Amino acid sequence: MKPTVHDIARSAGVSLATVDRVLNGRPGVRSVTREKVEQAIVALGYVRDLAAANLAKGRTYSFCFVLPANDNSFMIRLREEVGDAIRRSAPERARIEIVEVPAFDAAALVTALDAIRDQGADGVALVAVDAPEVRAAVERLTQAGIAVVTLVSDLGASSRDHYAGIDNSAAGRTAANLMGRFLSKVDGRVAILAGSMLVRDHRERLEGFLSVLGEEFPCVAILPVIEARDDPALVETMIREALRRHPDIAGIYSLGAGNRGLIRVLKEKGTASRPVVIAHELTASTREALQGDLIDAVLNQDPGHEVRSAIRVLKAKADGLPVLAAQERIRIDIFLKDNLP
């Protein structure tokens, strides 16, 4: 059975009226009490269902997901999750559309966002390229009354309404601690594989990674960042060249996507002579690589949770309701060979 507001009230030890105030963002609730209610909401897995109310008043949402047209496993999964949301959207009186743009192309992203503004959607979720022109396009959307959620990669100092994604700086710090421990603090070179420094999530992961390695593992030397645009074929070429130039590479941190290309190179090297590898996103390829001892650890974010969170936030903004921050927090999962789900 789905949890109800009565369950929340019992779990938090408060009245139904208090739960209603928290859910609808009304005043008159102490911060400690509000926190108890929000914790109960998360623990019980309660999700407000606005579908019935919108059916009664004839409301139909119009949302658009702007996604990069990348051939990497994570973005494929993200598109699949949006596709699942589209298939569920009719009973919830929502129209959800996917617009694809070239990866890391700020100009193409701006063109798509301006077109959506002209069409008059209720909300937009986008994988952001952190560029001034993109921030300006988001400003134009919000000024037009269109809710904006950044997905996976955020925008700095923008007017977007919400970010649905992990704490990427914390992910980078976690990866550095794992790398340092796997290397046992010995001297060695570490290669960093990124998609592009144009996206904020990759920059934040890099900054977090470098800060911890510099403080905790100063004996580790960092090679220049390899930017391979999350393209598996380009990743394969550039990693193979890096290993040719630096045969003493002891570790590789793949902070973006395109891991299929990396795994092909690792298979050629074999498990006995490969470097320590920390990667992002649990996909079919990285799962197989973990099981085959080609990758040591994978930091994962749940794209399904991110898509559902983006839709919940866009609905809340369209209805003028508050967002429950605790419910929308996206966690970082760490997977080793031994704890794969």
Side-chain angles (χ1 to χ4, degrees):
M1 292 179 60
K2 292 182 178 180
T4 67
V5 290
H6 293 82
D7 298 320
I8 296 170
R10 281 193 292 271
S11 177
V14 301
S15 68
L16 286 173
T18 298
V19 174
D20 180 73
R21 289 190 189 99
V22 173
L23 286 173
N24 292 289
R26 288 196 285 270
V29 182
R30 293 186 304 161
S31 59
V32 173
T33 304
R34 185 178 298 277
E35 185 175 346
K36 284 183 180 179
V37 173
E38 291 188 350
Q39 287 176 349
I41 289 168
V42 174
L44 293 169
Y46 176 81
V47 177
R48 284 177 294 176
D49 183 8
L50 297 175
N54 287 316
L55 180 62
K57 62 188 179 184
R59 174 68 185 273
T60 299
Y61 302 104
S62 175
F63 299 143
C64 187
F65 280 75
V66 185
L67 306 178
N70 257 7
D71 178 30
N72 69 67
S73 299
F74 180 74
M75 284 302 164
I76 291 171
R77 285 180 61 207
L78 191 66
R79 286 194 293 273
E80 288 172 348
E81 292 292 346
V82 179
D84 288 343
I86 290 172
R87 286 185 284 275
R88 297 191 303 266
S89 63
E92 299 176 2
R93 300 189 66 82
R95 292 191 304 271
I96 300 175
E97 177 187 4
I98 296 175
V99 172
E100 291 190 329
V101 297
F104 311 118
D105 189 331
L109 181 55
V110 168
T111 298
L113 295 177
D114 284 341
I116 292 166
R117 181 200 60 194
D118 293 341
Q119 293 166 6
D122 292 306
V124 179
L126 69 144
V127 178
V129 176
D130 194 12
E133 59 267 39
V134 176
R135 290 193 288 275
V138 167
E139 179 75 22
R140 291 192 289 272
L141 285 168
T142 57
Q143 287 179 348
I146 298 172
V148 178
V149 172
T150 51
L151 192 66
V152 180
S153 186
D154 201 7
L155 274 174
S158 75
S159 60
R160 57 92 172 136
D161 294 286
H162 184 77
Y163 164 59
I166 61 172
D167 181 335
N168 286 293
S169 180
R173 295 193 300 272
T174 302
N177 272 299
L178 289 168
M179 179 66 74
R181 283 162 173 74
F182 278 123
L183 290 176
S184 302
K185 298 191 178 182
V186 299
D187 293 340
R189 295 175 184 264
V190 170
I192 298 175
L193 174 63
S196 171
M197 292 297 100
L198 292 173
V199 289
R200 191 178 181 87
D201 58 329
H202 289 197
R203 292 203 308 272
E204 289 177 341
R205 291 175 191 178
L206 175 64
E207 290 165 3
F209 187 79
L210 294 179
S211 69
V212 169
L213 278 189
E215 293 175 7
E216 303 293 332
F217 308 98
C219 54
V220 175
I222 306 297
L223 293 172
V225 176
I226 300 168
E227 295 184 64
R229 302 185 66 82
D230 287 347
D231 182 309
L234 187 55
V235 167
E236 181 176 359
T237 299
M238 297 183 77
I239 286 294
R240 184 174 282 111
E241 176 62 16
L243 289 170
R244 185 191 67 79
R245 290 189 177 192
H246 306 284
D248 60 340
I249 286 177
I252 297 174
Y253 175 35
S254 176
L255 60 79
N259 287 314
R260 296 198 309 272
L262 170 62
I263 292 166
R264 285 194 287 268
V265 178
L266 295 173
K267 284 181 178 177
E268 292 175 4
K269 289 190 69 66
T271 57
S273 59
R274 71 165 177 85
V276 170
V277 179
I278 311 296
H280 277 260
E281 316 316 345
L282 187 63
T283 65
S285 299
T286 55
R287 175 187 291 273
E288 181 183 353
L290 273 174
Q291 292 170 330
D293 291 319
L294 295 173
I295 288 179
D296 296 280
V298 170
L299 279 65
N300 187 63
Q301 57 188 317
D302 183 347
H305 187 182
E306 290 170 340
V307 169
R308 293 188 297 273
S309 176
I311 293 171
R312 282 196 299 268
V313 170
L314 290 176
K315 285 182 177 180
K317 292 297 180 181
D319 287 323
L321 295 175
V323 173
L324 297 177
Q327 187 180 42
E328 307 308 338
R329 189 173 297 120
I330 309 296
R331 69 182 188 183
I332 302 169
D333 293 314
I334 301 172
F335 292 115
L336 310 177
K337 177 182 179 180
D338 305 301
N339 72 331
L340 282 169

